[in-house]
Amino acid sequence: MGQQQLLLLVLGLILVGLAIVVGIESFDRGRQQARYDQKTQKLVEFASLIQAYGSTAEALGGGDDGTDAVFSDLRWRKLGLESTGSHNDGDILDIPEIGCYKLFHNTSGGSQARVRVLANDCRQGTWEMELLVRGLGADEIALDFNVSNRLGESN
C-alpha cells in the first residue's frame, strides 16, 4: 500500500509540474502576442497621423502643397510626437514597453512615408515590421508583418 501511495504522489507531482510549465509557456505566448499587437496598433496610428499630415495644407503645417500628398522631410515633431534621436535618414521614436520606431524623412520630395519597428534595443539595421504610406487612400497603406529581425540589412 505504501508503494501505491508513493507512486500516486510522484505521478501527481509530475502532472502538476507539467501543468505549471504549460501555463508559463501559454502566458509567455500571450505576452508576446500582446506586444506584437501593440506595435501593430501603433503603426496603424502612425499611418493615420501621416495621412492627416499629407492631407493638411502646407500653410497649416501639413504636407499638401496642392499636388498629390507629399511626405517630404516628414519628422515625428510634424506629427505631434517628440523624437528620441535620429540616425542618418530618419527620426527615432522610442516608446517604452511598446517599441522603437524609425520614421524615414524622404528628403527627395517623394510621395511616400515609411516607418519601421526596430528591434527592442533600437539597434539600426534590425527591424521587425514596416509601414509604408504611399498616399491618402486606405489602399495606399501597406503593413509588412513578415519581417523577422533582418540583421545587417541597409535601411
Side-chain angles (χ1 to χ4, degrees):
M1 187 77 129
Q3 268 186 333
Q4 231 178 358
Q5 289 173 337
L6 187 59
L7 183 62
L8 286 174
L9 181 64
V10 169
L11 184 62
L13 288 174
I14 290 172
L15 289 176
V16 168
L18 285 174
I20 289 172
V21 168
V22 168
I24 289 171
E25 287 179 6
S26 177
F27 178 79
D28 190 50
R29 275 193 307 269
R31 184 184 56 80
Q32 288 174 351
Q33 184 63 42
R35 188 176 182 99
Y36 181 84
D37 290 345
Q38 283 179 319
K39 290 176 182 180
T40 304
Q41 178 60 35
K42 275 296 176 190
L43 286 178
V44 171
E45 181 183 327
F46 295 152
S48 175
L49 289 172
I50 289 168
Q51 285 188 325
Y53 169 82
S55 65
T56 303
E58 238 180 359
L60 298 174
D64 187 6
D65 62 356
T67 62
D68 290 335
V70 177
F71 303 114
S72 63
D73 200 32
L74 182 60
R75 297 182 186 271
W76 288 121
R77 65 176 156 67
K78 291 185 178 183
L79 299 176
L81 301 165
E82 279 299 316
S83 107
T84 54
S86 65
H87 181 265
N88 296 338
D89 58 349
D91 276 344
I92 305 294
L93 177 65
D94 188 6
I95 304 173
E97 303 299 321
I98 295 178
C100 191
Y101 300 86
K102 181 175 181 180
L103 173 66
F104 290 84
H105 297 278
N106 210 2
T107 55
S108 60
S111 60
Q112 71 177 19
R114 184 172 52 177
V115 177
R116 283 188 178 162
V117 180
L118 301 177
N120 291 336
D121 57 0
C122 287
R123 274 194 332 230
Q124 299 300 317
T126 60
W127 49 285
E128 302 169 351
M129 296 180 219
E130 181 178 57
L131 163 71
L132 182 64
V133 180
R134 292 184 206 93
L136 301 179
D139 59 339
E140 295 179 287
I141 298 173
L143 293 171
D144 183 358
F145 298 106
N146 299 318
V147 183
S148 64
N149 295 332
R150 297 179 180 175
L151 294 172
E153 190 172 301
S154 64
N155 296 325

